[in-house]
Amino acid sequence: MQKEIIINATANEIRIAITEDKRLAELFVETPDKERMVGDIYLGKVAKVMHGIRAAFIDLGLKQDAFLHFSDIGSTFTEYSSLIGDEDSEVDVEDDGDDTEGGEEGKPPTSQPTQALTQQRKPQPPVKDRNIPDLKRGQDILVQVTKEPVGRKGVRVTSEVSIPGRFLVLLPFDGKIGVSKKLQNFKEKRRLRRIVRSFIPSTFGAIIRTVAQEQDEASLRQDMEGLLATWREIEKGIKTEEAPALMYKDMATTSSVIRDLFTEAVDRVVVDSKKLFKEIRAYVKLVSPDLIDKIEYYKDKEPIFDVYGVEKEIATALGRKVWLKSGGYIIIEQTEAMVVIDVNSGRYAAKREQELNSLRTNLESAREVCRQLRLRDIGGIIVIDFIDLDDERNRKKIYDELRKEFKRDRAKVTVLPMTEIGIVQITRQRIRQNILHSFSEPCPVCGGGGIVESKSSIINHIERWIRRFKSESKELRLVLTVHPTIAQYLREGTVKRVTKMMFKYFVKIKMDEDPKLPITEFHFFSPKQDKEITDQYNS
């Protein structure tokens, strides 16, 4: 599979496209107003502890308090000055952090919870339920962002702090050395463990990342020294800063993509910014000099995303309908709680061929759905309504195809078997807002719902307002300001709708048009009182 990283930089935006066999697979967008937060470490203050939902809310100095679930809190509390770790143990880890948005980056094995740094001044007493932490309101705690804010929800954080490097992930509060499960060679895993154990401080732990394979001791040691220096700066900040405060800012999106995703599997990196090109080369020359020849500077005048066909695929990613080569299509609808995907054949098939055609369309849809979920970075609960299949073996083929395609996905995905009515339920790790939010914002008219109130309903609102007005006032003149679309609707008919209202309520109405006014709004002005009176008679 041919894999490329294409980077387009402008004054206000950087877009990073990852293509697989010339097709867009993933897209990252970095803008000044939407900075990447995953990986940032804060000294926070406990704002609220809610045992009912087994979580606490942490004040990080942001607009919304961060969400800290009890399962993301280490089992032991220590003073800021203490770094206590267990003896080294050889363990594998599910994920080595090869996820530019953080994900499980640097997270130690769940069977051995890490320790949190707080201002607790005495050891935690034995408790019956170790899953209930001894958190108190106003208490300081060191946390790390694991998920970006989504909608009205704030960031999600963990007290299991980690600092990612090129080859290693430093675990300040854990004495274990883990190796990515993506490393299959047992001898290589043993060699890497032995090297890292030879120079890592006794109270620290580490995760050896996939890209560390076949690296020499000097490269690993250099990476570790950089991570330890970063941690020492964080320690200094803990002693001097007052919560809430930012202790550590992780790399920007572009740098993290290069750090986490630029490996031997990537054929080339192409960037159209000379400044960014030099920065990337300097970093790669330091950490992986053998990859430096794969970095190219794009000089042509034609936009880089047009040349590589990325721009067209971005436009597709923003649409709710995605066409398939077979003539079928899928509809992607996002709701507050989940994403619903509907698969349609798009054409009629003879009954004797219906099962076969449905299977073909469903298989193509399964591959495209997996690609779209990665591309749009859709997380949470996903429900797919496939075309009905009668044969149980065919339903299993769809399930197997989904599982196979999701192996490319760096996010954690769970797929349930297809039901008899063709429904497949999926959960996908959600780390940041999906890509749609990087290019769009809620419609000011419909509020993001995709629909607006009908013209007849708006007219009914206006008439009810006039009725309330006439029940309390004897004024005979009003000035009504509406959107031009509503004004036109009021003037339609053999007898204009506005004329009917004037005769019915015995009031003269002068209409003004304002194209800047939302279509659902209207304003009434009283010439007698010389003021707007809309709010006085609203229900």
Side-chain angles (χ1 to χ4, degrees):
M1 179 177 63
Q2 185 180 6
K3 192 171 183 178
E4 297 175 323
I5 299 176
I6 315 297
I7 304 175
N8 167 232
T10 63
N12 298 312
E13 182 183 68
I14 297 175
R15 297 182 297 173
I16 306 108
I18 298 174
T19 64
E20 295 174 352
D21 292 332
K22 303 295 184 182
R23 295 200 74 193
L24 184 61
E26 294 182 67
L27 182 66
F28 304 94
V29 181
E30 182 179 354
T31 58
D33 60 326
K34 292 183 179 179
E35 287 188 354
R36 178 179 182 268
M37 297 182 68
V38 169
D40 293 353
I41 298 175
Y42 284 85
L43 179 60
K45 192 178 288 291
V46 178
K48 193 182 298 182
V49 180
M50 303 185 71
H51 292 281
I53 60 172
R54 304 183 64 78
F57 289 90
I58 313 297
D59 178 12
L60 303 182
L62 305 175
K63 289 182 179 179
Q64 296 165 304
D65 288 342
F67 179 83
L68 175 64
H69 194 268
F70 288 174
S71 63
D72 292 322
I73 301 175
S75 62
T76 307
F77 295 111
T78 63
E79 298 183 23
Y80 290 141
S81 58
S82 301
L83 288 174
I84 304 172
D86 297 332
E87 294 180 2
D88 288 357
S89 60
E90 294 190 357
V91 292
D92 283 338
V93 292
E94 185 67 33
D95 196 320
D96 69 340
D98 289 339
D99 185 339
T100 189
E101 287 301 323
E104 297 298 304
E105 186 167 87
K107 190 171 181 178
T110 54
S111 61
Q112 297 290 340
T114 57
Q115 299 167 337
L117 269 179
T118 72
Q119 281 183 331
Q120 189 80 359
R121 293 302 176 186
K122 59 182 179 179
Q124 184 186 11
V127 290
K128 291 181 180 179
D129 187 355
R130 282 286 183 183
N131 292 321
I132 301 178
D134 188 18
L135 279 178
K136 295 180 178 63
R137 185 176 179 181
Q139 181 178 355
D140 289 0
I141 183 169
L142 195 70
V143 293
Q144 185 168 32
V145 178
T146 59
K147 290 184 181 179
E148 301 278 0
V150 179
R152 294 189 295 270
K153 299 177 182 177
V155 299
R156 181 160 181 165
V157 296
T158 177
S159 69
E160 299 177 341
V161 174
S162 62
I163 305 173
R166 172 66 172 171
F167 306 118
L168 304 169
V169 177
L170 181 67
L171 309 176
F173 311 130
D174 194 307
K176 300 164 194 67
I177 297 176
V179 183
S180 168
K181 281 190 175 179
K182 295 175 186 176
L183 274 171
Q184 301 295 328
N185 189 303
F186 176 76
K187 289 184 178 179
E188 177 64 6
K189 290 163 75 171
R190 188 171 58 183
R191 182 188 75 88
L192 291 169
R193 279 197 185 100
R194 187 175 63 249
I195 291 174
V196 173
R197 188 178 292 108
S198 69
F199 56 67
I200 190 171
S202 60
T203 55
F204 289 83
I207 293 174
I208 302 170
R209 309 182 72 173
T210 311
V211 289
Q213 187 169 0
E214 297 182 359
Q215 293 295 323
D216 57 24
E217 181 177 345
S219 298
L220 298 175
R221 186 184 290 271
Q222 183 183 33
D223 199 34
M224 175 58 69
E225 287 174 354
L227 295 174
L228 289 171
T230 300
W231 174 247
R232 291 188 192 105
E233 289 299 316
I234 294 172
E235 280 189 297
K236 289 179 184 177
I238 289 171
K239 295 172 183 176
T240 58
E241 294 288 340
E242 185 177 340
L246 176 65
M247 295 287 99
Y248 165 76
K249 181 73 181 172
D250 196 16
M251 287 183 171
T253 303
T254 307
S255 302
S256 65
V257 166
I258 298 301
R259 179 191 68 195
D260 299 339
L261 303 181
F262 186 27
T263 64
E264 288 289 346
V266 176
D267 293 278
R268 61 175 175 167
V269 174
V270 189
V271 56
D272 64 359
S273 163
K274 199 164 190 177
K275 179 175 178 290
L276 208 53
F277 169 73
K278 289 179 178 178
E279 289 176 3
I280 293 171
R281 273 185 62 90
Y283 174 73
V284 173
K285 186 177 181 181
L286 182 66
V287 297
S288 297
D290 54 313
L291 298 177
I292 199 164
D293 291 337
K294 292 187 175 184
I295 306 169
E296 299 178 14
Y297 173 50
Y298 179 82
K299 300 177 182 178
D300 294 349
K301 291 183 179 179
E302 190 176 356
I304 187 171
F305 271 21
D306 288 350
V307 172
Y308 287 91
V310 174
E311 209 68 68
K312 288 182 180 178
E313 296 209 48
I314 291 175
T316 302
L318 298 179
R320 62 188 289 269
K321 179 183 283 189
V322 180
W323 287 97
L324 307 172
K325 289 182 181 179
S326 64
Y329 59 91
I330 60 175
I331 299 289
I332 303 174
E333 295 281 6
Q334 184 135 7
T335 71
E336 185 79 14
M338 67 180 69
V339 173
V340 181
I341 301 175
D342 185 34
V343 177
N344 295 279
S345 62
R347 61 185 182 187
Y348 173 79
K351 191 169 184 179
R352 62 185 178 85
E353 300 176 352
Q354 187 170 350
E355 180 79 3
L356 180 59
N357 283 333
S358 296
L359 175 62
R360 287 172 178 167
T361 303
N362 281 342
L363 286 171
E364 186 182 3
S365 298
R367 291 187 286 270
E368 186 60 31
V369 164
C370 294
R371 176 175 169 269
Q372 288 293 328
L373 294 181
R374 289 178 63 201
L375 175 55
R376 299 172 187 236
D377 206 1
I378 292 174
I381 301 170
I382 300 128
V383 175
I384 309 172
D385 182 11
F386 284 99
I387 302 168
D388 290 346
L389 294 168
D390 296 328
D391 194 329
E392 172 63 29
R393 291 172 298 178
N394 289 337
R395 291 200 290 268
K396 179 139 187 335
K397 286 180 183 178
I398 304 302
Y399 173 68
D400 292 340
E401 187 71 17
L402 286 168
R403 285 174 60 88
K404 184 191 80 175
E405 287 296 315
F406 275 127
K407 286 182 179 178
R408 297 186 185 184
D409 200 336
R410 289 178 292 111
K412 291 188 175 180
V413 181
T414 302
V415 184
L416 298 181
M418 181 183 285
T419 66
E420 291 184 2
I421 58 172
I423 300 294
V424 172
Q425 300 169 71
I426 296 171
T427 59
R428 185 175 184 271
Q429 180 186 20
R430 173 159 46 200
I431 300 162
R432 56 178 178 152
Q433 289 188 338
N434 71 59
I435 199 65
L436 183 64
H437 294 287
S438 299
F439 295 97
S440 62
E441 57 186 31
C443 170
V445 176
C446 71
I451 57 174
V452 295
E453 194 174 3
S454 67
K455 292 189 285 289
S456 60
S457 179
I458 295 167
I459 301 306
N460 289 337
H461 281 310
I462 291 172
E463 185 170 346
R464 285 195 292 270
W465 187 97
I466 296 172
R467 183 182 297 168
R468 285 191 293 271
F469 168 76
K470 288 301 294 182
S471 68
E472 298 180 25
S473 173
K474 295 183 179 181
E475 291 183 44
L476 301 176
R477 291 188 302 143
L478 289 170
V479 178
L480 171 62
T481 305
V482 292
H483 187 275
T485 303
I486 301 303
Q488 181 182 353
Y489 188 73
L490 282 166
R491 294 189 181 105
E492 287 177 354
T494 306
V495 179
K496 298 176 182 178
R497 291 184 176 90
V498 66
T499 303
K500 290 179 180 178
M501 284 193 284
M502 286 193 285
F503 278 115
K504 184 175 181 179
Y505 297 103
F506 199 65
V507 60
K508 185 176 181 181
I509 300 172
K510 178 187 175 184
M511 269 203 304
D512 285 343
E513 299 179 17
D514 183 358
K516 295 180 181 179
L517 196 68
I519 195 169
T520 56
E521 284 189 21
F522 59 88
H523 296 286
F524 276 102
F525 180 84
S526 166
K528 183 177 181 179
Q529 301 178 50
D530 194 26
K531 67 176 184 179
E532 186 178 315
I533 57 173
T534 313
D535 292 340
Q536 288 180 230
Y537 302 98
N538 268 332
S539 57

